[in-house]
Every structure is written in C-alpha cells, then in structure tokens.
C-alpha cells in the first residue's frame, strides 16, 4: 500500500506560539522537492499532542490543499488535549 520514505512532519510556530502556515508550506515544498514518497502530518513528533482540535483542523486545512495530491498524506489522530475540543 505505502512504500518509500514517509517522514513525520514537524510543525513550525512563530514567535507568538502560533502556527506559521507560510513556513510550514515552505517546508512541505522542500520535502516534496526532495523526493519523499508521502508525509505523516500530526503524528510521531511531539508538538501535535499539545494542539487543540481547532488548531489541528486549521493546520490540516492549510497544508492538505497546499500539498494538492502531489504525494500521499497520512494524518495522525491521537490526542492528549482535554481542552478546546470542538
């Protein structure tokens, strides 16, 4: 089903602790241009576990359209946050 290099992707934040969507998109382009076979968003790196559900939706809502079917995308669904569940 899946094969090749599918790295977990870190999430970049700005100085105010907000998700930096421009930098995340730039990093995604770098990964794709480098030849990865897919990506794992919101999984296996630690920062995703402290995001609210709303922040996760914003992140995916920005990154998945940007990826635009250029590579397969896996999404982690784990959650440890008890606040901000919408």
């Amino acid at each position: 089903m899946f094969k090749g290099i599918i790295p977990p992707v870190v999430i970049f934040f700005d100085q105010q602790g907000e998700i930096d969507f421009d930098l995340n998109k730039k990093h995604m382009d770098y990964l794709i241009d480098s030849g990865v076979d897919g990506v794992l968003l919101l999984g296996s790196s630690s920062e995703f576990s402290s995001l609210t559900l709303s922040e996760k939706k914003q992140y995916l809502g920005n990154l998945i359209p940007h990826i635009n079917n250029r590579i397969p995308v896996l999404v982690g669904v784990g959650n440890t946050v008890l606040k901000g569940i919408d």
Side-chain angles (χ1 to χ4, degrees), residues 6-18:
I6 304 175
V9 179
V10 298
I11 300 171
F12 294 96
F13 297 90
D14 62 21
Q15 293 289 358
Q16 291 74 39
E18 301 296 323

Side-chain angles (χ1 to χ4, degrees), residues 20-77:
D20 187 331
F21 294 108
D22 290 335
L23 185 54
N24 282 283
K25 289 175 183 177
K26 183 177 179 179
H27 181 64
M28 189 59 59
D29 289 337
Y30 172 79
L31 291 172
I32 292 169
D33 292 344
S34 295
V36 298
D37 298 296
V39 289
L40 171 58
L41 304 178
L42 299 179
S44 198
S45 55
S46 62
E47 69 279 357
F48 83 92
S49 64
S50 62
L51 297 177
T52 65
L53 182 57
S54 177
E55 290 169 323
K56 290 176 183 182
K57 288 178 180 180
Q58 286 180 314
Y59 176 75
L60 295 173
N62 275 271
L63 269 289
I64 290 176
H66 181 76
I67 294 167
N68 194 28
N69 294 313
R70 292 182 282 170
I71 55 173
V73 175
L74 300 170
V75 176
V77 296

